[in-house]
Amino acid sequence: MLFAPDLLQQARTSSGLNDYGDMAFAEGLQVLVDAINAEAHLTPANEARYRAELLRLLENRLRMQSELVAHPEILDEEILPPVFITSLPRTGSTKLHRMLGASGDFNAMKFWQAYHFARFANDAPASGPDPRIAATESYLRELRQWAPQYMESHPMYAEETEEEHILLDAGFNSLYQHAAFLNVPSYIGWVMTLDRHAMFEDLRRMLQYLQWQHHRGTKRRWILKTPGLLGTEATLAEVFPGTDFIVTHRHPVQTMASTAALFAGTLEMYNEVVDKRMAGEVMLASFGVTMQRHLEWRAAYPAEKVRDVRFGDVVDHEFDVLTSLYDFLGIAFTERSRANVRAWLAMDAERHDTPRKFTLAEFGLDEAKVNATFAGYLARYRDYL
């Protein structure tokens, strides 16, 4: 059994810090812990591993709060209007995100910077690599053993650009890790009742902290991407006024099997048995709902602030896509930027095996069901599919 007060105190003891600052997150922690105890059916070993993840999040919160107190200027960091890639999963968004992150023209968080977002000590090491990198690499090695299909579907690297959902997990008011890794329907239901502004206000504060650590004085925009935030664009744009959006597209019939496989892979981490049919049903239903919210947002958001991109162009015409996006964003696509992207593409080409092919039938789905669920999307974006 997990107990929220014990977790809060254990993190205080292990970190040597006492002040969490605003304790609003504790309600979500309690809801999550109650759901884990009642619904997740974790083995003792898996419960111990998830306890370690919860403690990591709490210790990061304590260390961040310590730095916010010691350096109140962190909250003076100006967050320029970000660029947000929004899409269904498996539409080329990761490749596009990482290309833009590699260009050198944006603030982009690396996996280690998000996983251990707070410094281990108040001062960075005088020389040598940040110790958080090695700690993150150790975690990723374990992850490849615990959830090989997840890491095959979405390879992650300590020093590679990664999604901001890793930061949001620490607020206990979002769905990604907790809902993707565990069977916690009551926590999911509770999150769905929340005002999402608080989640994005948390993200703004954490971006200020990361910018202060890693990008002080650069005056660059953040490049962000998380398919799990599809449908929340309206709230994000209210918290981050002036956001420019890039929407990547691919026909859902071509993506839903791979999306279900990715979800099944995340469930491998803490579940002894994974129901593939359930994974398919959950992904289709979830993204059907969030896509409808996306379409409602898109109808109202200024057209000049959104650019659509085809999956095939991201895969086969990288520099044409990037040239178009730089024009859209009003940024010069310099030869230095092009060279940085070329170097990333060459490196990335050497580290990927041929991806596995999945079928809709493996996950209890068929083309008719997918097409019906995404009928509005297919009508709105048919020119990009």
Side-chain angles (χ1 to χ4, degrees), residues 172-195:
F172 302 100
N173 58 2
S174 68
L175 292 179
Y176 193 85
Q177 173 169 301
H178 310 306
F181 293 170
L182 304 172
N183 177 35
V184 284
S186 61
Y187 174 76
I188 293 171
W190 177 79
V191 169
M192 295 304 291
T193 69
L194 299 178
D195 181 342

mmCIF file with all atom_site columns, all heavy atoms in Angstrom, residues 172-195:
data_model
loop_
_atom_site.group_PDB
_atom_site.id
_atom_site.type_symbol
_atom_site.label_atom_id
_atom_site.label_alt_id
_atom_site.label_comp_id
_atom_site.label_asym_id
_atom_site.label_entity_id
_atom_site.label_seq_id
_atom_site.pdbx_PDB_ins_code
_atom_site.Cartn_x
_atom_site.Cartn_y
_atom_site.Cartn_z
_atom_site.occupancy
_atom_site.B_iso_or_equiv
_atom_site.pdbx_formal_charge
_atom_site.auth_seq_id
_atom_site.auth_comp_id
_atom_site.auth_asym_id
_atom_site.auth_atom_id
_atom_site.pdbx_PDB_model_num
ATOM 1   N N   . PHE A 1 172 ? 0.595   16.234 -10.682 1.00 0.00 ? 172 PHE A N   1
ATOM 2   C CA  . PHE A 1 172 ? -0.494  15.322 -10.284 1.00 0.00 ? 172 PHE A CA  1
ATOM 3   C C   . PHE A 1 172 ? -1.858  15.887 -10.670 1.00 0.00 ? 172 PHE A C   1
ATOM 4   O O   . PHE A 1 172 ? -2.847  15.702 -9.961  1.00 0.00 ? 172 PHE A O   1
ATOM 5   C CB  . PHE A 1 172 ? -0.429  15.014 -8.784  1.00 0.00 ? 172 PHE A CB  1
ATOM 6   C CG  . PHE A 1 172 ? 0.874   14.409 -8.367  1.00 0.00 ? 172 PHE A CG  1
ATOM 7   C CD1 . PHE A 1 172 ? 1.850   15.183 -7.765  1.00 0.00 ? 172 PHE A CD1 1
ATOM 8   C CD2 . PHE A 1 172 ? 1.158   13.074 -8.607  1.00 0.00 ? 172 PHE A CD2 1
ATOM 9   C CE1 . PHE A 1 172 ? 3.077   14.640 -7.395  1.00 0.00 ? 172 PHE A CE1 1
ATOM 10  C CE2 . PHE A 1 172 ? 2.377   12.519 -8.251  1.00 0.00 ? 172 PHE A CE2 1
ATOM 11  C CZ  . PHE A 1 172 ? 3.345   13.300 -7.638  1.00 0.00 ? 172 PHE A CZ  1
ATOM 12  N N   . ASN A 1 173 ? -1.894  16.576 -11.812 1.00 0.00 ? 173 ASN A N   1
ATOM 13  C CA  . ASN A 1 173 ? -3.150  17.124 -12.323 1.00 0.00 ? 173 ASN A CA  1
ATOM 14  C C   . ASN A 1 173 ? -3.269  16.924 -13.832 1.00 0.00 ? 173 ASN A C   1
ATOM 15  O O   . ASN A 1 173 ? -4.022  17.625 -14.499 1.00 0.00 ? 173 ASN A O   1
ATOM 16  C CB  . ASN A 1 173 ? -3.281  18.617 -11.967 1.00 0.00 ? 173 ASN A CB  1
ATOM 17  C CG  . ASN A 1 173 ? -2.134  19.457 -12.502 1.00 0.00 ? 173 ASN A CG  1
ATOM 18  O OD1 . ASN A 1 173 ? -1.238  18.961 -13.177 1.00 0.00 ? 173 ASN A OD1 1
ATOM 19  N ND2 . ASN A 1 173 ? -2.145  20.739 -12.169 1.00 0.00 ? 173 ASN A ND2 1
ATOM 20  N N   . SER A 1 174 ? -2.489  15.962 -14.361 1.00 0.00 ? 174 SER A N   1
ATOM 21  C CA  . SER A 1 174 ? -2.547  15.635 -15.781 1.00 0.00 ? 174 SER A CA  1
ATOM 22  C C   . SER A 1 174 ? -2.544  14.119 -15.926 1.00 0.00 ? 174 SER A C   1
ATOM 23  O O   . SER A 1 174 ? -2.345  13.383 -14.962 1.00 0.00 ? 174 SER A O   1
ATOM 24  C CB  . SER A 1 174 ? -1.362  16.254 -16.534 1.00 0.00 ? 174 SER A CB  1
ATOM 25  O OG  . SER A 1 174 ? -0.142  15.642 -16.139 1.00 0.00 ? 174 SER A OG  1
ATOM 26  N N   . LEU A 1 175 ? -2.752  13.662 -17.156 1.00 0.00 ? 175 LEU A N   1
ATOM 27  C CA  . LEU A 1 175 ? -3.007  12.236 -17.350 1.00 0.00 ? 175 LEU A CA  1
ATOM 28  C C   . LEU A 1 175 ? -1.798  11.424 -17.777 1.00 0.00 ? 175 LEU A C   1
ATOM 29  O O   . LEU A 1 175 ? -1.781  10.221 -17.579 1.00 0.00 ? 175 LEU A O   1
ATOM 30  C CB  . LEU A 1 175 ? -4.108  12.056 -18.415 1.00 0.00 ? 175 LEU A CB  1
ATOM 31  C CG  . LEU A 1 175 ? -5.505  12.521 -18.021 1.00 0.00 ? 175 LEU A CG  1
ATOM 32  C CD1 . LEU A 1 175 ? -6.472  12.293 -19.177 1.00 0.00 ? 175 LEU A CD1 1
ATOM 33  C CD2 . LEU A 1 175 ? -5.983  11.775 -16.781 1.00 0.00 ? 175 LEU A CD2 1
ATOM 34  N N   . TYR A 1 176 ? -0.780  12.040 -18.358 1.00 0.00 ? 176 TYR A N   1
ATOM 35  C CA  . TYR A 1 176 ? 0.094   11.225 -19.195 1.00 0.00 ? 176 TYR A CA  1
ATOM 36  C C   . TYR A 1 176 ? 0.694   10.002 -18.508 1.00 0.00 ? 176 TYR A C   1
ATOM 37  O O   . TYR A 1 176 ? 0.255   8.889  -18.706 1.00 0.00 ? 176 TYR A O   1
ATOM 38  C CB  . TYR A 1 176 ? 1.204   12.062 -19.845 1.00 0.00 ? 176 TYR A CB  1
ATOM 39  C CG  . TYR A 1 176 ? 1.882   11.245 -20.931 1.00 0.00 ? 176 TYR A CG  1
ATOM 40  C CD1 . TYR A 1 176 ? 1.346   11.213 -22.212 1.00 0.00 ? 176 TYR A CD1 1
ATOM 41  C CD2 . TYR A 1 176 ? 2.985   10.453 -20.662 1.00 0.00 ? 176 TYR A CD2 1
ATOM 42  C CE1 . TYR A 1 176 ? 1.918   10.431 -23.199 1.00 0.00 ? 176 TYR A CE1 1
ATOM 43  C CE2 . TYR A 1 176 ? 3.550   9.670  -21.644 1.00 0.00 ? 176 TYR A CE2 1
ATOM 44  C CZ  . TYR A 1 176 ? 3.024   9.670  -22.912 1.00 0.00 ? 176 TYR A CZ  1
ATOM 45  O OH  . TYR A 1 176 ? 3.584   8.886  -23.878 1.00 0.00 ? 176 TYR A OH  1
ATOM 46  N N   . GLN A 1 177 ? 1.721   10.184 -17.709 1.00 0.00 ? 177 GLN A N   1
ATOM 47  C CA  . GLN A 1 177 ? 2.400   8.998  -17.172 1.00 0.00 ? 177 GLN A CA  1
ATOM 48  C C   . GLN A 1 177 ? 1.482   8.184  -16.279 1.00 0.00 ? 177 GLN A C   1
ATOM 49  O O   . GLN A 1 177 ? 1.362   6.971  -16.445 1.00 0.00 ? 177 GLN A O   1
ATOM 50  C CB  . GLN A 1 177 ? 3.644   9.401  -16.387 1.00 0.00 ? 177 GLN A CB  1
ATOM 51  C CG  . GLN A 1 177 ? 4.286   8.212  -15.663 1.00 0.00 ? 177 GLN A CG  1
ATOM 52  C CD  . GLN A 1 177 ? 5.653   8.536  -15.097 1.00 0.00 ? 177 GLN A CD  1
ATOM 53  O OE1 . GLN A 1 177 ? 6.559   8.908  -15.822 1.00 0.00 ? 177 GLN A OE1 1
ATOM 54  N NE2 . GLN A 1 177 ? 5.795   8.408  -13.785 1.00 0.00 ? 177 GLN A NE2 1
ATOM 55  N N   . HIS A 1 178 ? 0.835   8.842  -15.351 1.00 0.00 ? 178 HIS A N   1
ATOM 56  C CA  . HIS A 1 178 ? 0.044   8.099  -14.371 1.00 0.00 ? 178 HIS A CA  1
ATOM 57  C C   . HIS A 1 178 ? -1.085  7.323  -15.045 1.00 0.00 ? 178 HIS A C   1
ATOM 58  O O   . HIS A 1 178 ? -1.348  6.168  -14.704 1.00 0.00 ? 178 HIS A O   1
ATOM 59  C CB  . HIS A 1 178 ? -0.505  9.061  -13.324 1.00 0.00 ? 178 HIS A CB  1
ATOM 60  C CG  . HIS A 1 178 ? 0.525   9.962  -12.727 1.00 0.00 ? 178 HIS A CG  1
ATOM 61  N ND1 . HIS A 1 178 ? 1.676   9.483  -12.146 1.00 0.00 ? 178 HIS A ND1 1
ATOM 62  C CD2 . HIS A 1 178 ? 0.593   11.325 -12.645 1.00 0.00 ? 178 HIS A CD2 1
ATOM 63  C CE1 . HIS A 1 178 ? 2.407   10.511 -11.722 1.00 0.00 ? 178 HIS A CE1 1
ATOM 64  N NE2 . HIS A 1 178 ? 1.770   11.622 -12.016 1.00 0.00 ? 178 HIS A NE2 1
ATOM 65  N N   . ALA A 1 179 ? -1.740  7.936  -16.020 1.00 0.00 ? 179 ALA A N   1
ATOM 66  C CA  . ALA A 1 179 ? -2.852  7.268  -16.699 1.00 0.00 ? 179 ALA A CA  1
ATOM 67  C C   . ALA A 1 179 ? -2.375  6.288  -17.754 1.00 0.00 ? 179 ALA A C   1
ATOM 68  O O   . ALA A 1 179 ? -3.064  5.310  -18.050 1.00 0.00 ? 179 ALA A O   1
ATOM 69  C CB  . ALA A 1 179 ? -3.771  8.306  -17.336 1.00 0.00 ? 179 ALA A CB  1
ATOM 70  N N   . ALA A 1 180 ? -1.212  6.536  -18.343 1.00 0.00 ? 180 ALA A N   1
ATOM 71  C CA  . ALA A 1 180 ? -0.710  5.650  -19.398 1.00 0.00 ? 180 ALA A CA  1
ATOM 72  C C   . ALA A 1 180 ? -0.078  4.389  -18.831 1.00 0.00 ? 180 ALA A C   1
ATOM 73  O O   . ALA A 1 180 ? -0.140  3.325  -19.451 1.00 0.00 ? 180 ALA A O   1
ATOM 74  C CB  . ALA A 1 180 ? 0.307   6.399  -20.264 1.00 0.00 ? 180 ALA A CB  1
ATOM 75  N N   . PHE A 1 181 ? 0.529   4.496  -17.660 1.00 0.00 ? 181 PHE A N   1
ATOM 76  C CA  . PHE A 1 181 ? 1.258   3.365  -17.102 1.00 0.00 ? 181 PHE A CA  1
ATOM 77  C C   . PHE A 1 181 ? 0.401   2.484  -16.199 1.00 0.00 ? 181 PHE A C   1
ATOM 78  O O   . PHE A 1 181 ? 0.732   1.324  -15.971 1.00 0.00 ? 181 PHE A O   1
ATOM 79  C CB  . PHE A 1 181 ? 2.462   3.863  -16.298 1.00 0.00 ? 181 PHE A CB  1
ATOM 80  C CG  . PHE A 1 181 ? 3.538   4.523  -17.124 1.00 0.00 ? 181 PHE A CG  1
ATOM 81  C CD1 . PHE A 1 181 ? 4.573   5.196  -16.494 1.00 0.00 ? 181 PHE A CD1 1
ATOM 82  C CD2 . PHE A 1 181 ? 3.524   4.477  -18.504 1.00 0.00 ? 181 PHE A CD2 1
ATOM 83  C CE1 . PHE A 1 181 ? 5.577   5.814  -17.231 1.00 0.00 ? 181 PHE A CE1 1
ATOM 84  C CE2 . PHE A 1 181 ? 4.517   5.093  -19.241 1.00 0.00 ? 181 PHE A CE2 1
ATOM 85  C CZ  . PHE A 1 181 ? 5.550   5.759  -18.614 1.00 0.00 ? 181 PHE A CZ  1
ATOM 86  N N   . LEU A 1 182 ? -0.670  3.057  -15.641 1.00 0.00 ? 182 LEU A N   1
ATOM 87  C CA  . LEU A 1 182 ? -1.408  2.367  -14.590 1.00 0.00 ? 182 LEU A CA  1
ATOM 88  C C   . LEU A 1 182 ? -2.896  2.292  -14.906 1.00 0.00 ? 182 LEU A C   1
ATOM 89  O O   . LEU A 1 182 ? -3.436  3.133  -15.635 1.00 0.00 ? 182 LEU A O   1
ATOM 90  C CB  . LEU A 1 182 ? -1.237  3.119  -13.259 1.00 0.00 ? 182 LEU A CB  1
ATOM 91  C CG  . LEU A 1 182 ? 0.181   3.352  -12.758 1.00 0.00 ? 182 LEU A CG  1
ATOM 92  C CD1 . LEU A 1 182 ? 0.144   4.269  -11.540 1.00 0.00 ? 182 LEU A CD1 1
ATOM 93  C CD2 . LEU A 1 182 ? 0.872   2.045  -12.417 1.00 0.00 ? 182 LEU A CD2 1
ATOM 94  N N   . ASN A 1 183 ? -3.558  1.313  -14.325 1.00 0.00 ? 183 ASN A N   1
ATOM 95  C CA  . ASN A 1 183 ? -5.008  1.223  -14.380 1.00 0.00 ? 183 ASN A CA  1
ATOM 96  C C   . ASN A 1 183 ? -5.571  2.015  -13.201 1.00 0.00 ? 183 ASN A C   1
ATOM 97  O O   . ASN A 1 183 ? -5.704  1.496  -12.090 1.00 0.00 ? 183 ASN A O   1
ATOM 98  C CB  . ASN A 1 183 ? -5.451  -0.241 -14.312 1.00 0.00 ? 183 ASN A CB  1
ATOM 99  C CG  . ASN A 1 183 ? -6.964  -0.373 -14.299 1.00 0.00 ? 183 ASN A CG  1
ATOM 100 O OD1 . ASN A 1 183 ? -7.662  0.403  -14.944 1.00 0.00 ? 183 ASN A OD1 1
ATOM 101 N ND2 . ASN A 1 183 ? -7.473  -1.338 -13.552 1.00 0.00 ? 183 ASN A ND2 1
ATOM 102 N N   . VAL A 1 184 ? -5.880  3.284  -13.447 1.00 0.00 ? 184 VAL A N   1
ATOM 103 C CA  . VAL A 1 184 ? -6.337  4.172  -12.372 1.00 0.00 ? 184 VAL A CA  1
ATOM 104 C C   . VAL A 1 184 ? -7.539  4.988  -12.856 1.00 0.00 ? 184 VAL A C   1
ATOM 105 O O   . VAL A 1 184 ? -7.470  6.215  -12.962 1.00 0.00 ? 184 VAL A O   1
ATOM 106 C CB  . VAL A 1 184 ? -5.202  5.099  -11.882 1.00 0.00 ? 184 VAL A CB  1
ATOM 107 C CG1 . VAL A 1 184 ? -4.213  4.340  -11.005 1.00 0.00 ? 184 VAL A CG1 1
ATOM 108 C CG2 . VAL A 1 184 ? -4.470  5.748  -13.068 1.00 0.00 ? 184 VAL A CG2 1
ATOM 109 N N   . PRO A 1 185 ? -8.664  4.341  -13.144 1.00 0.00 ? 185 PRO A N   1
ATOM 110 C CA  . PRO A 1 185 ? -9.803  5.073  -13.706 1.00 0.00 ? 185 PRO A CA  1
ATOM 111 C C   . PRO A 1 185 ? -10.349 6.176  -12.815 1.00 0.00 ? 185 PRO A C   1
ATOM 112 O O   . PRO A 1 185 ? -10.823 7.203  -13.327 1.00 0.00 ? 185 PRO A O   1
ATOM 113 C CB  . PRO A 1 185 ? -10.847 3.974  -13.937 1.00 0.00 ? 185 PRO A CB  1
ATOM 114 C CG  . PRO A 1 185 ? -10.405 2.813  -13.103 1.00 0.00 ? 185 PRO A CG  1
ATOM 115 C CD  . PRO A 1 185 ? -8.917  2.890  -13.049 1.00 0.00 ? 185 PRO A CD  1
ATOM 116 N N   . SER A 1 186 ? -10.299 6.018  -11.504 1.00 0.00 ? 186 SER A N   1
ATOM 117 C CA  . SER A 1 186 ? -10.832 7.085  -10.651 1.00 0.00 ? 186 SER A CA  1
ATOM 118 C C   . SER A 1 186 ? -9.938  8.323  -10.710 1.00 0.00 ? 186 SER A C   1
ATOM 119 O O   . SER A 1 186 ? -10.436 9.460  -10.653 1.00 0.00 ? 186 SER A O   1
ATOM 120 C CB  . SER A 1 186 ? -10.988 6.600  -9.209  1.00 0.00 ? 186 SER A CB  1
ATOM 121 O OG  . SER A 1 186 ? -9.749  6.216  -8.654  1.00 0.00 ? 186 SER A OG  1
ATOM 122 N N   . TYR A 1 187 ? -8.620  8.148  -10.826 1.00 0.00 ? 187 TYR A N   1
ATOM 123 C CA  . TYR A 1 187 ? -7.721  9.295  -10.996 1.00 0.00 ? 187 TYR A CA  1
ATOM 124 C C   . TYR A 1 187 ? -7.999  9.978  -12.334 1.00 0.00 ? 187 TYR A C   1
ATOM 125 O O   . TYR A 1 187 ? -8.070  11.212 -12.416 1.00 0.00 ? 187 TYR A O   1
ATOM 126 C CB  . TYR A 1 187 ? -6.264  8.850  -10.916 1.00 0.00 ? 187 TYR A CB  1
ATOM 127 C CG  . TYR A 1 187 ? -5.279  9.958  -11.235 1.00 0.00 ? 187 TYR A CG  1
ATOM 128 C CD1 . TYR A 1 187 ? -5.004  10.960 -10.310 1.00 0.00 ? 187 TYR A CD1 1
ATOM 129 C CD2 . TYR A 1 187 ? -4.629  10.009 -12.468 1.00 0.00 ? 187 TYR A CD2 1
ATOM 130 C CE1 . TYR A 1 187 ? -4.115  11.981 -10.604 1.00 0.00 ? 187 TYR A CE1 1
ATOM 131 C CE2 . TYR A 1 187 ? -3.739  11.025 -12.770 1.00 0.00 ? 187 TYR A CE2 1
ATOM 132 C CZ  . TYR A 1 187 ? -3.483  12.013 -11.835 1.00 0.00 ? 187 TYR A CZ  1
ATOM 133 O OH  . TYR A 1 187 ? -2.608  13.032 -12.141 1.00 0.00 ? 187 TYR A OH  1
ATOM 134 N N   . ILE A 1 188 ? -8.169  9.183  -13.393 1.00 0.00 ? 188 ILE A N   1
ATOM 135 C CA  . ILE A 1 188 ? -8.467  9.753  -14.710 1.00 0.00 ? 188 ILE A CA  1
ATOM 136 C C   . ILE A 1 188 ? -9.757  10.558 -14.648 1.00 0.00 ? 188 ILE A C   1
ATOM 137 O O   . ILE A 1 188 ? -9.826  11.692 -15.151 1.00 0.00 ? 188 ILE A O   1
ATOM 138 C CB  . ILE A 1 188 ? -8.564  8.634  -15.764 1.00 0.00 ? 188 ILE A CB  1
ATOM 139 C CG1 . ILE A 1 188 ? -7.189  7.981  -15.970 1.00 0.00 ? 188 ILE A CG1 1
ATOM 140 C CG2 . ILE A 1 188 ? -9.097  9.182  -17.091 1.00 0.00 ? 188 ILE A CG2 1
ATOM 141 C CD1 . ILE A 1 188 ? -7.224  6.734  -16.829 1.00 0.00 ? 188 ILE A CD1 1
ATOM 142 N N   . GLY A 1 189 ? -10.777 9.987  -14.022 1.00 0.00 ? 189 GLY A N   1
ATOM 143 C CA  . GLY A 1 189 ? -12.047 10.697 -13.903 1.00 0.00 ? 189 GLY A CA  1
ATOM 144 C C   . GLY A 1 189 ? -11.911 11.999 -13.145 1.00 0.00 ? 189 GLY A C   1
ATOM 145 O O   . GLY A 1 189 ? -12.521 13.012 -13.512 1.00 0.00 ? 189 GLY A O   1
ATOM 146 N N   . TRP A 1 190 ? -11.100 11.988 -12.088 1.00 0.00 ? 190 TRP A N   1
ATOM 147 C CA  . TRP A 1 190 ? -10.885 13.207 -11.302 1.00 0.00 ? 190 TRP A CA  1
ATOM 148 C C   . TRP A 1 190 ? -10.169 14.262 -12.142 1.00 0.00 ? 190 TRP A C   1
ATOM 149 O O   . TRP A 1 190 ? -10.573 15.438 -12.153 1.00 0.00 ? 190 TRP A O   1
ATOM 150 C CB  . TRP A 1 190 ? -10.079 12.870 -10.056 1.00 0.00 ? 190 TRP A CB  1
ATOM 151 C CG  . TRP A 1 190 ? -9.730  14.060 -9.216  1.00 0.00 ? 190 TRP A CG  1
ATOM 152 C CD1 . TRP A 1 190 ? -10.535 14.717 -8.334  1.00 0.00 ? 190 TRP A CD1 1
ATOM 153 C CD2 . TRP A 1 190 ? -8.466  14.745 -9.184  1.00 0.00 ? 190 TRP A CD2 1
ATOM 154 N NE1 . TRP A 1 190 ? -9.858  15.770 -7.754  1.00 0.00 ? 190 TRP A NE1 1
ATOM 155 C CE2 . TRP A 1 190 ? -8.581  15.800 -8.250  1.00 0.00 ? 190 TRP A CE2 1
ATOM 156 C CE3 . TRP A 1 190 ? -7.252  14.551 -9.842  1.00 0.00 ? 190 TRP A CE3 1
ATOM 157 C CZ2 . TRP A 1 190 ? -7.540  16.674 -7.974  1.00 0.00 ? 190 TRP A CZ2 1
ATOM 158 C CZ3 . TRP A 1 190 ? -6.205  15.416 -9.567  1.00 0.00 ? 190 TRP A CZ3 1
ATOM 159 C CH2 . TRP A 1 190 ? -6.358  16.468 -8.640  1.00 0.00 ? 190 TRP A CH2 1
ATOM 160 N N   . VAL A 1 191 ? -9.113  13.879 -12.865 1.00 0.00 ? 191 VAL A N   1
ATOM 161 C CA  . VAL A 1 191 ? -8.383  14.838 -13.695 1.00 0.00 ? 191 VAL A CA  1
ATOM 162 C C   . VAL A 1 191 ? -9.314  15.470 -14.732 1.00 0.00 ? 191 VAL A C   1
ATOM 163 O O   . VAL A 1 191 ? -9.228  16.670 -15.011 1.00 0.00 ? 191 VAL A O   1
ATOM 164 C CB  . VAL A 1 191 ? -7.178  14.168 -14.382 1.00 0.00 ? 191 VAL A CB  1
ATOM 165 C CG1 . VAL A 1 191 ? -6.569  15.094 -15.449 1.00 0.00 ? 191 VAL A CG1 1
ATOM 166 C CG2 . VAL A 1 191 ? -6.116  13.797 -13.351 1.00 0.00 ? 191 VAL A CG2 1
ATOM 167 N N   . MET A 1 192 ? -10.210 14.679 -15.285 1.00 0.00 ? 192 MET A N   1
ATOM 168 C CA  . MET A 1 192 ? -11.087 15.191 -16.338 1.00 0.00 ? 192 MET A CA  1
ATOM 169 C C   . MET A 1 192 ? -12.065 16.241 -15.814 1.00 0.00 ? 192 MET A C   1
ATOM 170 O O   . MET A 1 192 ? -12.672 16.967 -16.608 1.00 0.00 ? 192 MET A O   1
ATOM 171 C CB  . MET A 1 192 ? -11.850 14.049 -16.993 1.00 0.00 ? 192 MET A CB  1
ATOM 172 C CG  . MET A 1 192 ? -10.964 13.057 -17.733 1.00 0.00 ? 192 MET A CG  1
ATOM 173 S SD  . MET A 1 192 ? -9.911  13.832 -18.991 1.00 0.00 ? 192 MET A SD  1
ATOM 174 C CE  . MET A 1 192 ? -11.149 14.327 -20.190 1.00 0.00 ? 192 MET A CE  1
ATOM 175 N N   . THR A 1 193 ? -12.217 16.357 -14.486 1.00 0.00 ? 193 THR A N   1
ATOM 176 C CA  . THR A 1 193 ? -13.094 17.392 -13.922 1.00 0.00 ? 193 THR A CA  1
ATOM 177 C C   . THR A 1 193 ? -12.354 18.710 -13.687 1.00 0.00 ? 193 THR A C   1
ATOM 178 O O   . THR A 1 193 ? -12.990 19.718 -13.358 1.00 0.00 ? 193 THR A O   1
ATOM 179 C CB  . THR A 1 193 ? -13.687 16.943 -12.580 1.00 0.00 ? 193 THR A CB  1
ATOM 180 O OG1 . THR A 1 193 ? -12.644 16.873 -11.577 1.00 0.00 ? 193 THR A OG1 1
ATOM 181 C CG2 . THR A 1 193 ? -14.370 15.591 -12.705 1.00 0.00 ? 193 THR A CG2 1
ATOM 182 N N   . LEU A 1 194 ? -11.035 18.714 -13.849 1.00 0.00 ? 194 LEU A N   1
ATOM 183 C CA  . LEU A 1 194 ? -10.223 19.868 -13.466 1.00 0.00 ? 194 LEU A CA  1
ATOM 184 C C   . LEU A 1 194 ? -10.234 20.956 -14.533 1.00 0.00 ? 194 LEU A C   1
ATOM 185 O O   . LEU A 1 194 ? -10.372 20.694 -15.727 1.00 0.00 ? 194 LEU A O   1
ATOM 186 C CB  . LEU A 1 194 ? -8.777  19.440 -13.222 1.00 0.00 ? 194 LEU A CB  1
ATOM 187 C CG  . LEU A 1 194 ? -8.525  18.423 -12.111 1.00 0.00 ? 194 LEU A CG  1
ATOM 188 C CD1 . LEU A 1 194 ? -7.038  18.086 -12.049 1.00 0.00 ? 194 LEU A CD1 1
ATOM 189 C CD2 . LEU A 1 194 ? -9.008  18.958 -10.769 1.00 0.00 ? 194 LEU A CD2 1
ATOM 190 N N   . ASP A 1 195 ? -10.010 22.168 -14.096 1.00 0.00 ? 195 ASP A N   1
ATOM 191 C CA  . ASP A 1 195 ? -9.730  23.290 -14.982 1.00 0.00 ? 195 ASP A CA  1
ATOM 192 C C   . ASP A 1 195 ? -8.275  23.147 -15.434 1.00 0.00 ? 195 ASP A C   1
ATOM 193 O O   . ASP A 1 195 ? -7.354  23.146 -14.609 1.00 0.00 ? 195 ASP A O   1
ATOM 194 C CB  . ASP A 1 195 ? -9.932  24.601 -14.219 1.00 0.00 ? 195 ASP A CB  1
ATOM 195 C CG  . ASP A 1 195 ? -9.677  25.838 -15.076 1.00 0.00 ? 195 ASP A CG  1
ATOM 196 O OD1 . ASP A 1 195 ? -9.034  25.715 -16.134 1.00 0.00 ? 195 ASP A OD1 1
ATOM 197 O OD2 . ASP A 1 195 ? -10.102 26.933 -14.672 1.00 0.00 ? 195 ASP A OD2 1
#
